[in-house]
């Protein structure tokens, strides 16, 4: 890193230069993958005195790794946090956040549209094994949070926008309510990435990203990260990552580092394409509703403008037709491939609610025929003509 320039001020410089100590590795422009499980010491006392929070000191790969540390420092800077910790998956980061914030018997408030596996962790594990209590909220009304959060609440779990219905929560207001009751707040910020939203600035305590999506950006890694700025909380997260042992591997960290160098240009392209695709779908006679927060017709557009700087390539829509017709549309697409996940270079389609009961889908505010698409980097004209052709099949 060159002396004298503050590389932490501009997101493009964080992505490209910040936290890289090229002088440690022959001034190679790209840092190496430190593929070592341990580091050695000259004396026994040096070993005992090692401070694993010092970016120049490494002891053991389950605790810290130089390649991961560069990634962690970049993400912490992009999220305006103090410290970030990388994990083997988004779920490893999410579950670590829950067990960091909550003790047995604690109360959690969680949005209904939270990522499905996290819902299952809370209801199927924390409730059964740790007797935690959970109150689910729709998330679109402040009054609902006012009523749900009490002095017994340890954690409020948000995901804004949530990744199927794209519904938002008023992050500043929820953080204010949680603080009043001394509860911690956690948000899954995967949809926006740090480029489009910085929840720590709005009072949130823990920000999570799965790096399997836009941070990796190339559909070739699984990874997660937690970011915080409070010193006590940072210590607790660090301890739990070390003891649960869910750190990301160095090769994945290196690939995430490569992904991050282009995250802003990729995101802007995904957004531009998704805006055109959403506009096309909104006007299509066989489409009943488009869920994309970037559309001025989106019910929470004003809130989106207050807390986000943009939207990514993920959107969903409801066709004017049955589940079978929605399957026909999805299967007729040629450029969009059927698959879970999103945030990579490629366009994807799935029907996340297709096998749910009406009771389940309406609890989530949706319908079984909802089609979710990820607009990749193939180009908007290609994607729109693919959708036009598929929709003409019904
Ligand atoms: C994929 C995803 C996760 C889980 O991340 P993994 O890396 O697969 O564990 C969490 N939240 C959202 C919104 C996701 O899309």
């Amino acid at each position: 890193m060159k002396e004298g320039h503050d590389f932490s001020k501009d997101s493009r410089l964080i992505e490209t230069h910040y936290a890289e100590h090229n002088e440690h590795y022959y001034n190679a422009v790209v840092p190496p993958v430190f593929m070592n499980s341990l580091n050695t010491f000259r004396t026994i006392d040096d070993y005992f005195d090692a401070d694993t929070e010092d970016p120049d000191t490494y002891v053991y790969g389950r605790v810290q790794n130089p390649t991961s540390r560069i990634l962690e420092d970049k993400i912490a800077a992009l999220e305006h946090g103090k410290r970030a910790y990388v994990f083997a998956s988004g779920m490893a980061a999410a579950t670590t956040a829950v067990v960091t914030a909550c003790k047995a018997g604690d109360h959690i408030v969680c949005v209904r549209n939270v990522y499905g596996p996290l819902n299952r962790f809370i209801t199927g594990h924390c409730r059964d094994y740790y007797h935690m209590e959970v109150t689910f909220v729709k998330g679109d009304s402040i009054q609902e949070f006012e009523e749900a959060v009490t002095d017994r609440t340890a954690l409020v779990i948000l995901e804004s926008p949530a990744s199927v219905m794209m519904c938002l929560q008023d992050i500043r207001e929820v953080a204010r309510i949680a603080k009043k009751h001394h509860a911690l707040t956690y948000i899954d910020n995967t949809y926006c990435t740090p480029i489009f939203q910085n929840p720590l600035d709005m009072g949130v305590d823990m920000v999570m990203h799965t790096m399997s999506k836009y941070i990796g950006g190339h559909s070739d890694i699984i990874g997660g990260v937690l970011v915080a700025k409070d010193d006590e909380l940072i210590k607790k997260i660090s301890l739990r990552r070390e003891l649960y042992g869910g750190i990301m591997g160095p090769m994945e960290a290196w690939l995430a580092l490569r992904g991050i160098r282009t995250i802003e240009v990729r995101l802007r392209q995904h957004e531009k394409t998704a805006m055109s695709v959403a506009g096309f779908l909104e006007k299509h006679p066989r489409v009943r509703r488009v869920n994309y927060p970037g559309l001025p017709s989106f019910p929470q557009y004003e809130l989106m403008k207050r807390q986000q700087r943009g939207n990514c390539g993920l959107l969903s829509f409801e066709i004017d037709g049955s589940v079978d017709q929605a399957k026909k549309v999805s299967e007729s697409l040629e450029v969009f491939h059927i698959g879970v996940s999103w945030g990579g270079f490629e366009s994807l389609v799935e029907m996340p609610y297709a096998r749910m009961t009406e009771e389940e889908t309406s609890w989530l505010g949706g319908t079984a025929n909802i089609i979710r698409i990820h607009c990749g980097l193939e180009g908007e004209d290609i994607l729109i003509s693919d959708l036009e052709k598929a929709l003409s099949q019904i």
Side-chain angles (χ1 to χ4, degrees):
M1 196 166 15
K2 282 209 200 86
E3 297 296 322
H5 190 93
D6 186 353
F7 288 96
S8 68
K9 289 281 180 273
D10 180 289
S11 86
R12 295 297 300 136
L13 289 176
I14 297 171
E15 291 153 27
T16 51
H17 297 72
Y18 182 67
E20 311 233 353
H21 300 278
N22 314 72
E23 67 280 8
H24 290 188
Y25 27 85
Y26 308 104
N27 291 312
V29 67
V30 175
V33 194
F34 282 91
M35 214 72 192
N36 55 305
S37 62
L38 74 145
N39 301 66
T40 57
F41 294 85
R42 252 179 8 93
T43 70
I44 297 292
D45 282 333
D46 282 355
Y47 160 74
F48 275 109
D49 292 338
D51 170 10
T52 53
E53 279 299 298
D54 172 359
D56 290 327
T57 306
Y58 296 87
V59 178
Y60 187 53
R62 198 188 73 244
V63 180
Q64 199 48 271
N65 170 282
T67 310
S68 333
R69 183 62 192 259
I70 298 169
L71 176 63
E72 290 174 344
D73 289 348
K74 277 186 201 284
I75 295 174
L78 284 170
E79 271 299 5
H80 307 164
K82 188 161 172 190
R83 191 74 172 83
Y85 291 95
V86 295
F87 290 84
S89 68
M91 277 305 289
T95 53
T96 300
V98 175
V99 297
T100 297
C102 300
K103 295 191 295 293
D106 275 349
H107 177 235
I108 296 173
V109 172
C110 181
V111 290
R112 290 184 186 184
N113 294 80
V114 77
Y115 184 62
L118 185 57
N119 177 331
R120 273 157 52 210
F121 176 72
I122 295 164
T123 54
H125 183 74
C126 297
R127 210 150 63 175
D128 293 352
Y129 279 62
Y130 300 116
H131 308 292
M132 292 183 199
E133 224 182 280
V134 53
T135 304
F136 283 103
V137 290
K138 275 177 70 194
D140 56 356
S141 120
I142 290 306
Q143 199 191 334
E144 197 189 12
F145 282 100
E146 293 269 18
E147 285 163 13
V149 183
T150 71
D151 288 343
R152 277 198 53 235
T153 309
L155 180 65
V156 180
I157 296 180
L158 305 177
E159 185 177 325
S160 182
S163 66
V164 178
M165 298 308 296
M166 318 301 156
C167 44
L168 278 64
Q169 300 96 54
D170 188 329
I171 299 171
R172 288 184 185 86
E173 282 299 301
V174 177
R176 183 186 59 75
I177 294 165
K179 275 206 170 58
K180 208 167 65 187
H181 295 281
H182 306 288
L184 291 175
T185 41
Y186 157 98
I187 191 168
D188 184 329
N189 199 27
T190 303
Y191 185 94
C192 281
T193 84
I195 303 303
F196 288 154
Q197 179 167 272
N198 296 118
L200 295 176
D201 292 345
M202 296 184 243
V204 167
D205 298 295
M206 288 184 277
V207 170
M208 186 282 259
H209 292 276
T210 157
M211 293 196 268
S212 321
K213 313 292 159 59
Y214 285 115
I215 292 180
H218 296 77
S219 301
D220 50 11
I221 58 165
I222 297 290
V225 63
L226 274 184
V227 198
K229 59 181 183 188
D230 175 75
D231 287 324
E232 281 307 304
L233 188 55
I234 286 168
K235 271 196 212 138
K236 288 182 187 170
I237 295 169
S238 163
L239 177 72
R240 277 153 190 82
R241 186 183 66 174
E242 177 186 339
L243 300 182
Y244 280 92
I247 195 170
M248 172 181 243
M251 188 67 213
E252 280 79 5
W254 187 84
L255 284 166
L257 209 48
R258 185 173 69 163
I260 246 180
R261 295 195 202 280
T262 57
I263 191 170
E264 186 168 341
V265 286
R266 283 187 287 111
L267 254 291
R268 298 213 181 280
Q269 193 59 42
H270 284 291
E271 177 181 46
K272 188 169 162 291
T273 302
M275 270 305 286
S276 303
V277 168
F280 160 78
L281 289 171
E282 194 175 35
K283 288 197 215 80
H284 198 284
R286 296 310 303 264
V287 175
R288 223 181 259 149
R289 169 175 162 190
V290 180
N291 303 309
Y292 188 62
L295 284 176
S297 62
F298 186 73
Q300 295 174 298
Y301 182 77
E302 290 307 319
L303 174 61
M304 186 283 291
K305 282 289 193 195
R306 286 204 301 278
Q307 56 192 31
Q308 294 176 211
R309 294 181 293 273
N311 289 279
C312 69
L314 191 70
L315 61 102
S316 65
F317 61 99
E318 188 190 323
I319 62 154
D320 180 16
S322 64
V323 173
D324 282 340
Q325 284 176 310
K327 283 185 188 165
K328 175 127 203 225
V329 171
S330 305
E331 290 163 5
S332 303
L333 290 163
E334 286 170 7
V335 182
F336 291 86
H337 290 189
I338 297 171
V340 293
S341 196
W342 46 283
F345 58 93
E346 80 283 31
S347 289
L348 294 166
V349 59
E350 71 155 328
M351 290 180 54
Y353 296 169
R355 292 199 173 181
M356 285 186 185
T357 63
E358 201 181 321
E359 194 187 344
E360 289 166 336
T361 57
S362 71
W363 191 75
L364 294 165
T367 47
N369 64 353
I370 279 185
I371 298 174
R372 185 182 82 172
I373 56 173
H374 176 250
C375 301
L377 299 171
E378 298 92 343
E380 63 186 58
D381 46 339
I382 294 171
L383 301 188
I384 288 172
S385 81
D386 199 28
L387 283 160
E388 195 159 32
K389 222 170 70 202
L391 281 162
S392 74
Q393 301 297 307
I394 57 164

